[in-house]
Amino acid sequence: MDARSAARVLGRFVGTGFKLKAGAIAVVVFLIFLIVVGLLGASSGGKAFGDSCGDRGTPGVDYGGNGQQADGDLRKNQIANAKAIDQVAAEGGLSGRATLIGLMTALQESTLLNLDHGDLDSIGLFQQRPSQGWGTKAQIMQPKYAAALFFFGTDRNSAAGIHGLTDIKGWEAMGLGQAAQKVQASAYPDLYDGQESAARQIAKEAGLDLARPGKGGTTGQHQGDDATPGNEQHGEGTNPQCYPEGDKDRPGTPGQPFHDGNAPWPASVRNPRGTQEAIAWAEQESKTNGQDWYRACLAFVARAYGWSFSGTGYAIDHYREMPANLKHDKDRNPPPGALMYWETGGRAGHVAVYLGDGKIASNDIRRPGYIDVVPATEIESKWGATYVGWAPPYFPKGG
């Protein structure tokens, strides 16, 4: 039991109206002793409870309203969380050193558990605080979201907002614990270094490559047409590419609202149906309860615009083949009628029609095979997908 755990135990007694009796005074004194010992032990660099690691979790893992507890699933949960942190770092083009810093930080902050409680309103793997601008509780309780905020922050060009690891100048050359402290601003800055050996052991057991060099851009696979996560097969000859990311194309913040933009389609964008007709058709399709759209997201958006087929095999290929002037990487202000694209962790990927007011018409997100009108952020929150960007409804191979 560490200081934080002992304090919680004591708090439970008080919160339930525990009446101190003569024999219970010794118990309270003992708990206070544990708190003091815990603080002293922590300051000496002792590692966090239950250090472990393991295989990558599936996109969109939802650990429930009570968060993860130190119970029989401890190792299983730590395994999923360690891999989720590494996945976010790798897909963001970051080095294995960044993964190591992330693991050390999460071990110290939460023992690598996705906790729904902590000091004040701190929650999640990195004990991030909704009241300090890290996101809503629901967002922070998503391991990938929490890791993305730790690594990338929200706005590198602003003195305000949340700054992540990559916003810190020279973080690669800093001491590991020093870099973690720059992000976390902890009252106990010396404790992170005490987690290095435990983090390295986790990485070894999980097969994480801490010697992985940084690539300066996203390295996740680009998926295509029919995109329910987890079942895609890689075809022969596929050659996933990376999108270069400068300041304007850095990873967006998962869960951040989408807003309507105003960008008229270029003259090259011509479809059998106009934008308003396509939106109306997509909305109507959500009301018909037809089950024709299982893993057929690109086919659906092509049909919305009046085409019988898109002419492209995969959604992410459709985005990649767009002329450069039509792609809006990471931009969260699509105009109504735009096509929005996500990476989902496999070859397929996902595309949906943006209806306006932050909503999309999407297949499979709530009911396999059906179309539903949902907030665009659900692709991130339910599937753990990565938003790629938007483009006009351009189907040069459609027919």
Side-chain angles (χ1 to χ4, degrees):
M1 177 181 292
D2 60 14
R4 192 175 290 176
S5 299
R8 284 198 293 270
V9 172
L10 182 57
R12 291 194 190 102
F13 285 136
V14 175
T16 56
F18 179 71
K19 304 298 184 180
L20 291 177
K21 297 181 179 179
I25 295 176
V27 175
V28 176
V29 171
F30 178 66
L31 288 173
I32 295 173
F33 169 76
L34 286 177
I35 295 173
V36 174
V37 171
L39 289 174
L40 293 177
S43 65
S44 65
K47 69 179 181 179
F49 167 75
D51 303 330
S52 185
C53 66
D55 297 331
R56 178 173 299 166
T58 57
V61 171
D62 183 357
Y63 293 106
N66 294 322
Q68 297 167 326
Q69 308 299 327
D71 53 19
D73 290 330
L74 169 65
R75 183 153 305 236
K76 176 183 176 181
N77 291 333
Q78 290 178 318
I79 281 172
N81 295 334
K83 278 295 190 171
I85 290 171
D86 182 64
Q87 183 181 1
V88 172
E91 290 181 348
L94 301 183
S95 64
R97 182 180 179 84
T99 291
L100 178 57
I101 294 170
L103 292 177
M104 289 169 59
T105 304
L107 280 168
Q108 176 57 41
E109 295 290 352
S110 67
T111 65
L112 203 54
L113 291 177
N114 195 32
L115 303 178
D116 67 345
H117 55 274
D119 182 48
L120 299 177
D121 63 336
S122 300
I123 53 174
L125 291 175
F126 298 92
Q127 290 291 280
Q128 295 157 337
R129 298 182 59 188
S131 65
Q132 299 299 310
W134 288 89
T136 66
K137 181 175 181 178
Q139 290 170 338
I140 296 173
M141 288 299 291
Q142 290 288 329
K144 285 187 177 181
Y145 174 92
L149 264 289
F150 175 81
F151 289 127
F152 303 110
T154 56
D155 187 359
R156 72 173 61 179
N157 297 314
S158 172
I162 298 301
H163 291 176
L165 183 66
T166 55
D167 295 318
I168 300 168
K169 185 176 181 180
W171 69 267
E172 299 94 334
M174 288 182 182
L176 299 169
Q178 180 185 9
Q181 170 64 10
K182 288 286 187 180
V183 179
Q184 298 296 102
S186 171
Y188 304 99
D190 297 329
L191 300 186
Y192 298 108
D193 280 326
Q195 302 296 343
E196 181 178 353
S197 61
R200 289 188 179 278
Q201 180 61 32
I202 283 174
K204 180 179 179 181
E205 294 176 16
L208 305 184
D209 182 11
L210 298 184
R212 178 185 68 241
K215 297 184 178 181
T218 56
T219 58
Q221 293 169 330
H222 299 275
Q223 309 82 20
D225 190 355
D226 308 341
T228 302
N231 297 318
E232 299 85 338
Q233 298 294 323
H234 289 266
E236 294 183 3
T238 59
N239 182 28
Q241 300 180 14
C242 300
Y243 297 109
E245 291 194 343
D247 285 350
K248 71 182 183 65
D249 292 330
R250 71 174 305 179
T253 303
Q256 180 181 355
F258 291 90
H259 301 285
D260 295 1
N262 182 18
W265 309 144
S268 58
V269 177
R270 300 174 181 175
N271 297 297
R273 283 198 184 103
T275 300
Q276 294 305 317
E277 293 176 294
I279 290 174
W281 185 91
E283 290 177 332
Q284 181 59 36
E285 194 67 17
S286 71
K287 302 173 183 177
T288 64
N289 289 322
Q291 303 180 52
D292 302 330
W293 304 112
Y294 179 66
R295 297 173 59 80
C297 56
L298 185 55
F300 168 69
V301 299
R303 285 283 299 278
Y305 276 94
W307 301 102
S308 297
F309 57 87
S310 68
T312 304
Y314 295 99
I316 220 64
D317 293 339
H318 190 245
Y319 186 77
R320 187 162 59 226
E321 293 169 5
M322 289 272 181
N325 67 309
L326 298 185
K327 293 189 290 188
H328 298 265
D329 293 347
K330 311 297 182 185
D331 187 284
R332 299 180 84 89
N333 299 280
L339 305 184
M340 299 176 66
Y341 299 81
W342 289 265
E343 296 176 358
T344 59
R347 178 68 179 95
H350 196 64
V351 61
V353 178
Y354 184 64
L355 305 179
D357 196 28
K359 295 182 179 180
I360 55 172
S362 172
N363 64 306
D364 297 338
I365 184 62
R366 292 189 177 176
R367 302 174 296 168
Y370 293 90
I371 302 299
D372 284 294
V373 174
V374 300
T377 51
E378 283 201 11
I379 307 298
E380 295 169 325
S381 64
K382 287 184 176 291
W383 284 352
T386 300
Y387 176 58
V388 175
W390 68 267
Y394 183 59
F395 297 95
K397 301 177 183 178

